[in-house]
Amino acid sequence: MTVKDWLQKAKDEKFAIGAFNVGNLETFKAIAQAAGNKKSPIIIESSPGETKWMDPDNVVDIAKNYSEEFGVPILVNLDHSETLEDCLTGIEAGYDLIHCDASKLSYSENVALTKKVAELAHAKGLTCEGELDHIGGSSEVHTGSAGEEAGKVIKTDPTRAADFVKVTGIDIFAAFVGNIHGLYTGGEKKLDIPLVGQIADATGVFLSLHGSSGIPEDQVQAAIQNGVVKVNLNTEIRQVYKDTLEKVLEDNPDEYAMYKSEQPLIENIRLLVEHKIEVFGSAGKA
């Protein structure tokens, strides 16, 4: 099955494919194990920083190796790439999905760059995602209110979204419906679920939900029922990794063979991802 086939299956059957960021081999291994245990298709993705750290060719090759080992589809997405150069890195390395995030540019510049990337991606048989309204925050734990941060940007207008999709030719639209990147200690995120359905109807393309960390699970599931087929998760994975690593180092001060200490990291991330797969409804779909 192609990427579009999987996204269409998700849309038809009302589930979402989890898109999980990887910044190291331990995280990669944990996510792949979770997918294998749950018999779920997944998307492995890397941001520009993660891509440079891991090397794009490595990301593609490791995904292929784990896909074969665990017997599940592992698609590869280039996440939030803001320049043509970064997008070309993913295209040339053989990523399956290319997310061109030109949302910080003017509308006309955003359209021009996203359309160019979509054309280049489609020429290689790849899928392209675009972002109209900049989804704020960052993949970290923040103090302050999630609602206050989300309120800095006007939510996506369905009519503008439809025009953007039409002129750029993208396959996936990153909607801003109250979702922002990161975890916030000053209050949880709140999605505008009716708006999700309106954007889905207006654009007619696949929708992705960025910044899912910290969004109440019932809201994520409601968004999926209204058209979201790809849910991105990063900060919660980073948080589990960091918290577990700190405890492992504290409990094992005399251990220097670090691979012996990393199993708890893999285990805890695996459990998190398995839970998210259940929330997204993709378990058993592979």
Side-chain angles (χ1 to χ4, degrees), residues 19-63:
F20 305 101
N21 283 73
V22 294
N24 53 43
L25 184 60
E26 293 78 26
T27 301
F28 214 135
K29 187 172 185 177
I31 295 168
Q33 285 182 352
N37 289 347
K38 289 298 181 179
K39 303 301 179 187
S40 171
I42 59 168
I43 297 170
I44 284 288
E45 61 184 12
S46 60
S47 65
E50 292 162 341
T51 302
K52 291 175 183 177
W53 177 253
M54 293 285 291
D55 187 86
D57 292 328
N58 286 338
V59 174
V60 171
D61 289 344
I62 294 169

Side-chain angles (χ1 to χ4, degrees), residues 3-4 7 17-21 43-46 75-83 86-87 91 95-103 110-122 125-135 156 161 164-165 168-176 179 181 199 203 205-212 227-233:
V3 173
K4 288 186 179 180
L7 296 176
I17 301 174
F20 305 101
N21 283 73
I43 297 170
I44 284 288
E45 61 184 12
S46 60
L75 310 174
V76 184
N77 177 50
L78 189 70
D79 190 33
H80 287 289
S81 292
E82 299 180 352
T83 67
D86 283 343
C87 290
I91 293 173
Y95 278 54
D96 302 294
L97 305 93
I98 308 296
H99 175 196
C100 175
D101 179 6
S103 60
N110 187 348
V111 166
L113 179 55
T114 304
K115 181 179 180 181
K116 177 66 174 178
V117 172
E119 291 171 348
L120 292 170
H122 291 159
L126 311 179
T127 302
C128 185
E129 177 175 350
E131 186 170 326
L132 173 58
D133 305 294
H134 179 62
I135 300 170
T156 296
F164 182 75
V165 168
T168 59
I170 56 174
D171 310 288
I172 306 170
F173 181 76
F176 176 63
N179 49 308
H181 296 105
I199 296 170
T203 61
V205 295
F206 304 114
L207 297 190
S208 67
L209 179 67
H210 287 257
S212 74
V228 166
V229 298
K230 170 177 167 281
V231 179
N232 291 45
L233 187 81

